[in-house]
Amino acid sequence: MNDAPGWTSPGSSEPEPHGDKAQGTPAPGDGPQHGERPAQADRPAPTGWSAQQPPSAGPTGWDAPGNPPGRPDAPVGWGQGPGWGGPQQYGAPYAHVAKPGVIPLRPLGVGEILDGAVSTMRAHWRPVLGIALGIAVLVQLVTTVATGVWFSDMGAFLALEDDTSPTAEELADALGPLLGSEAVHGLMTVVGTVIATAMLTMIVSRAVLGRPVSIGEAWRDARPLLGKLLGLTLLVTLIVLGVLALCLLPGAVLAAAGSALAGSFFLLIGLLGGLVLMVWLWVRFSLSAPALMLERGTVVAALRRSGKLVRGSWWRIFGIQLLAALLVFVLSLIVSVPVGGLASLVDGSPGGSLLGDVPATLTWPYLIVTAIGAVVTSTLTLPFSAGVTALLYIDARIRREALDLELARAAGVPGDGPQRPGPGTVAG
């Protein structure tokens, strides 16, 4: 990875502070401070630009968006910028905003992030929808076959509605098919989501630069990192669920010791506290997947990188991710409700209609229709979710590290991209 002076590679340890920097006072001769840029010694700055500019190179540390290391056509990697500690400072609206791809190269608004995800689906619909459709079909095929062969009997589970005091054996019989089906579906969903996230992130990195990409190229670039991304996904899941379990542990211990009232109280408090911590950790690590894919570091480095990028912008990232999740939920309802009703009608279940009642035995017509609905939903929502997360990562780096200037150079924008006024108010 090519590191220009004043920039550090993502995944590497940050340099120790010099002088009085640890107390907030920079020592003489230290690197660029907040709002300043490293000197660009190899050529004069364009007209209207400050003399302090980042090094003249590609996006350092972003390891060849869409290209594996070593390929001659790959731009210099994307990576951690000068390490500015807060949002980028500008004094006036941009004199010029370059837009070589699906987003303008400047700090993005909420609508621009959502629109960028949709624009990626439109501009590169063949690889995007091809990847999402292929993965959705594979996931639903395995899930549907497993459910139809081993977990189709839901009669015991539906009987629990009329049984107010079921025995342990009845609970096991009732929950067995449901848990087995959900376990297969969950496992396939995790694997499919990892593959889709890896490939779609590579497509978004190309779409930002306005470059075409094929499914084969996306797979070739993402394949070396699939194992790390799977490990990252499982690690984040374990961390989030482990925090919830630790919060519930005191109440569970008290309840098991015979203190029912105290146990219930601490279980409630632990549940509320655990949910808050789960959401906080989910947002803190939400940018780790694109950080891993585009910076090609380690799993631990991706977690640290995400925490650094989210710091100071937690509420903004939380709000955008929540909005995207709500849009995905609404779209899923729009598809799943009529599909569930159609599945019940095809199956001939009594009272099915648009209510989509689950029959006592999941027949193949019912499973096939619901699987088709799930494929349609996943094909539309997977690229959108992956695109929003990847663009949030890019936006965070634009705000903190002036990545837009580096992207403009990598995209070959005339004049090295957008012109920026001097320090002043916060943009975006």
Side-chain angles (χ1 to χ4, degrees):
M1 196 174 294
N2 300 326
D3 296 329
W7 296 67
T8 56
S9 297
S12 61
S13 58
E14 297 184 9
E16 295 294 330
H18 302 289
D20 297 326
K21 186 174 290 187
Q23 286 75 32
T25 304
D30 275 354
Q33 307 304 313
H34 183 74
E36 298 179 356
R37 302 181 185 277
Q40 186 177 355
D42 55 337
R43 60 178 176 175
T47 305
W49 283 32
S50 167
Q52 300 296 324
Q53 296 295 330
S56 177
T60 307
W62 187 331
D63 193 0
N67 293 311
R71 281 179 55 178
D73 59 336
V76 181
W78 294 12
Q80 181 175 343
W84 297 354
Q88 191 67 308
Q89 305 287 328
Y90 314 116
Y94 288 81
H96 169 67
V97 177
K99 189 178 179 181
V102 295
I103 59 170
L105 299 183
R106 57 168 170 75
L108 304 175
V110 177
E112 290 170 326
I113 290 176
L114 301 179
D115 179 71
V118 176
S119 297
T120 301
M121 297 171 63
R122 290 201 306 261
H124 304 275
W125 64 270
R126 286 186 178 87
V128 168
L129 297 184
I131 291 169
L133 178 62
I135 291 174
V137 168
L138 176 62
V139 170
Q140 292 303 320
L141 179 63
V142 175
T143 302
T144 300
V145 171
T147 302
V149 173
W150 294 303
F151 311 114
S152 59
D153 186 9
M154 291 292 169
F157 176 76
L158 296 176
L160 288 179
E161 297 179 359
D162 302 323
D163 192 349
T164 57
S165 56
T167 64
E169 183 178 356
E170 289 174 340
L171 284 174
D173 293 339
L175 297 178
L178 179 64
L179 293 178
S181 176
E182 290 300 320
V184 173
H185 178 69
L187 177 62
M188 291 303 303
T189 299
V190 168
V191 174
T193 302
V194 166
I195 298 174
T197 300
M199 298 179 67
L200 293 171
T201 300
M202 293 302 181
I203 291 178
V204 172
S205 71
R206 292 284 192 92
V208 169
L209 300 175
R211 295 179 179 176
V213 60
S214 66
I215 295 178
E217 290 173 328
W219 169 250
R220 183 172 60 250
D221 301 339
R223 183 177 56 188
L225 297 169
L226 289 179
K228 288 184 178 181
L229 185 58
L230 178 59
L232 175 65
T233 303
L234 296 178
L235 179 59
V236 171
T237 303
L238 289 176
I239 292 174
V240 172
L241 295 180
V243 166
L244 178 62
L246 287 176
C247 292
L248 295 175
L249 183 60
V253 170
L254 289 174
S259 302
L261 182 59
S264 300
F265 174 76
F266 281 99
L267 278 175
L268 178 60
I269 297 299
L271 178 62
L272 295 177
L275 290 177
V276 171
L277 288 175
M278 286 176 65
V279 173
W280 182 80
L281 288 171
W282 170 65
V283 176
R284 179 178 176 83
F285 297 141
S286 62
L287 305 184
S288 57
L292 176 70
M293 297 304 302
L294 297 178
E295 298 179 6
R296 298 179 179 268
T298 64
V299 171
V300 175
L303 293 176
R304 292 175 178 171
R305 186 76 165 122
S306 177
K308 181 177 180 180
L309 293 174
V310 170
R311 189 183 305 131
S313 303
W314 190 95
W315 284 107
R316 180 175 185 274
I317 293 175
F318 168 73
I320 296 175
Q321 290 280 33
L322 181 61
L323 178 59
L326 288 175
L327 293 175
V328 168
F329 176 72
V330 171
L331 180 59
S332 300
L333 283 182
I334 292 174
V335 176
S336 62
V337 170
V339 167
L342 178 61
S344 296
L345 291 175
V346 170
D347 180 64
S349 302
S353 67
L354 291 179
L355 298 177
D357 296 338
V358 177
T361 302
L362 301 179
T363 62
W364 286 108
Y366 180 90
L367 291 172
I368 291 173
V369 173
T370 54
I372 292 174
V375 166
V376 173
T377 302
S378 298
T379 302
L380 297 176
T381 57
L382 270 178
F384 179 75
S385 299
V388 168
T389 302
L391 291 177
L392 272 173
Y393 164 83
I394 295 171
D395 176 62
R397 294 201 54 202
I398 287 176
R399 291 172 180 270
R400 290 180 175 271
E401 301 166 2
L403 183 66
D404 49 338
L405 297 180
E406 300 299 293
L407 292 176
R409 275 196 280 271
V413 175
D416 281 343
Q419 299 182 16
R420 290 182 169 181
T425 58
V426 177

